[in-house]
Amino acid sequence: MARAYVLLAWTWLRASFQYPASALIGLAVAMALYTLDVAAIWVIFGHTERLGGFTAHEVMFLYGTAGVSFGLADMLFGNVDRLGAQVRTGTFDTMLIRPVSPFVQMAVDRFTVTRFGRVLQAGVVLAIALPQLDLAWSRVWMVPVMIVCGLVIFTSVFAFGGAIQFLLTEAPEIANAFTYGGSQLTQYPMTVYGAELVRGVTFIMPLAFVNWQPALFVLDREDPLGLPHWLRFASPVAALAIALAAAALWRVGIRRYRSTGS
Amino acid sequence: MIELEGVGRSFTVRRRTGRLLRREKAVVHAVRDLSFSVAPGEFVGYLGPNGAGKSTTIKMMTGILTPTEGRLRVAGLDPSRRRTVLARRIGVVFGQRTTLWWDLPLRDSFELVRHLYKVDRNTFRQRLDELTELLELTSFLHTPVRQLSLGQRMRGDIAAALLHAPPVLVLDEPTIGLDVVSKAALRAFLSELNAERGTTVLLTTHDLGDVERLCNRVMVIDQGRLSFDGTVEDLRATAPDESSIEDVVARLYTGGGTAAAEPAQQLGSSVAQ
């Protein structure tokens, strides 16, 4: 499956480089846009020392980990939420007759260099923030774990968004509320949001496990909302649970796929 | 090679009614209680008027759609459950839609197909040479698919569907929109494929020339049910007073009652109505 992915991604990349200027400008524009995001953090910290009890570098750490997780998920699988368009035009049929998972084919479809934009930008932010935090090695190991868990969680959210479109072909907007909305949400400390929302993204849509809960461990903080201590190690479990649910929904979606006329 | 037993597919359609946000549910049966089997090496024409359920049947045979009733076996597999395994044993061509990669040169599409279907390099080269010659692909092998003419694209699609040497080939309206010369070339190719390789072929078409020249068996589907199953001669015999095959089929489509009933038992396949 990974082999098919790399193969298809490489083919699409090569095809996109038939117009190299367009591909590179796309990447530059994407990175510039995301950089404005970070500028917002600096603007906020120009006015305040702490945001929800967190320093600028800590917020950058939250932003960077969420951004890298989301960037990787979006780069590798984000295209799944364009499923509706493929279903409407009937091109999804052709993905079903090839000996490769349609999820992989959908994810890799039209892979371009632009997709690297967010992950590169978030990686830079994380690389700047990490050395400033002066973390102990006994806590740093959590960083790669949380990035992988975040990747799985965001990928599952994308898969949910795609699967919904088997049933409602006009639903990408609903799906985007959770994917891109979720990415925005995890960029800041959860303490800036209301407690109800945080409970929601902890126990219903487990976005708090992308970076918030494990970050409390990495940064050695008490949970400002007083949730149990063990939750900060629960990210892999949350990631696994949402991934299984998403896979199940995707399968249901494929079985209920209706194709188009002709 | 292909077996259908009481296969049906229905769609739930929601219609808007007068009142705001109120919708009415209706069940549409695209295909119902369809049973037939196709033996290895047969060349079957699958006919029917627009909207009769031809494409729905093909989509179920290729695993794109999951049937709502009945049992289906293609190359020994349940298509919708073993879709990716089946893909290696079946070739599928949609006349109205390419399965090639739109922005890639034809040759690159073939190379991708080789990797995805895990065809080894030597076998691939040999088959590609063969197909290139038979389908005359040489002049546009390096052209992006989107720039190909319909006839060229169709030949490319067929080559791509055969690179992994599937024992079954399913074609949905392969000659649609092709000129006389392209059509003739394609027919010659398909007929040879069936005769020499023993590839089982099932095709849908509205061109009865395809049927007359290629098919040793014809099935007609109408309103989701099989209304005829037999040889081309049997088909003609349903309306001996009609001179052209077009008229014979037109009578079948418009429901010339007696025509449908008689030859129904020909190949021992079950027939509705």
Side-chain angles (χ1 to χ4, degrees), chain B residues 70-85:
Chain B
R71 212 182 73 101
L72 221 119
R73 281 273 177 282
V74 177
L77 300 168
D78 178 344
S80 67
R81 291 191 183 280
R82 309 286 310 280
R83 207 181 44 242
T84 44
V85 183

Side-chain angles (χ1 to χ4, degrees), chain B residues 163-211:
Chain B
L163 279 171
H164 60 293
V168 190
L169 180 63
V170 175
L171 306 138
D172 195 7
E173 304 191 21
T175 52
I176 194 166
L178 296 191
D179 66 55
V180 196
V181 181
S182 306
K183 239 182 231 180
L186 188 58
R187 284 172 184 162
F189 172 79
L190 289 175
S191 142
E192 195 180 307
L193 180 80
N194 174 253
E196 312 245 309
R197 291 272 182 79
T199 305
T200 311
V201 185
L202 185 137
L203 68 81
T204 74
T205 183
H206 289 296
D207 186 326
L208 297 165
D210 293 346
V211 176

Side-chain angles (χ1 to χ4, degrees), chain B residues 71-129:
Chain B
R71 212 182 73 101
L72 221 119
R73 281 273 177 282
V74 177
L77 300 168
D78 178 344
S80 67
R81 291 191 183 280
R82 309 286 310 280
R83 207 181 44 242
T84 44
V85 183
L86 179 68
R88 293 180 204 283
R89 303 192 193 167
I90 189 172
V92 187
V93 177
F94 294 113
Q96 318 230 36
R97 179 170 299 139
T98 183
T99 57
L100 301 168
W101 285 263
W102 203 242
D103 297 308
L104 300 181
L106 196 54
R107 178 65 223 240
D108 289 18
S109 271
F110 291 158
E111 194 63 39
L112 257 182
V113 167
R114 171 176 98 74
H115 285 289
L116 297 182
Y117 287 83
K118 301 196 171 97
V119 182
D120 76 76
R121 200 180 292 271
N122 291 328
T123 319
F124 170 76
R125 198 163 299 153
Q126 192 190 331
R127 274 186 208 140
L128 184 58
D129 287 347

Side-chain angles (χ1 to χ4, degrees), chain B residues 204-222:
Chain B
T204 74
T205 183
H206 289 296
D207 186 326
L208 297 165
D210 293 346
V211 176
E212 279 189 298
R213 280 178 193 77
L214 292 171
C215 304
N216 43 38
R217 177 174 168 196
V218 185
M219 291 190 287
V220 179
I221 186 174
D222 196 9

Side-chain angles (χ1 to χ4, degrees), chain B residues 61-75:
Chain B
M61 292 194 306
T62 49
I64 293 172
L65 287 176
T66 309
T68 42
E69 287 145 53
R71 212 182 73 101
L72 221 119
R73 281 273 177 282
V74 177

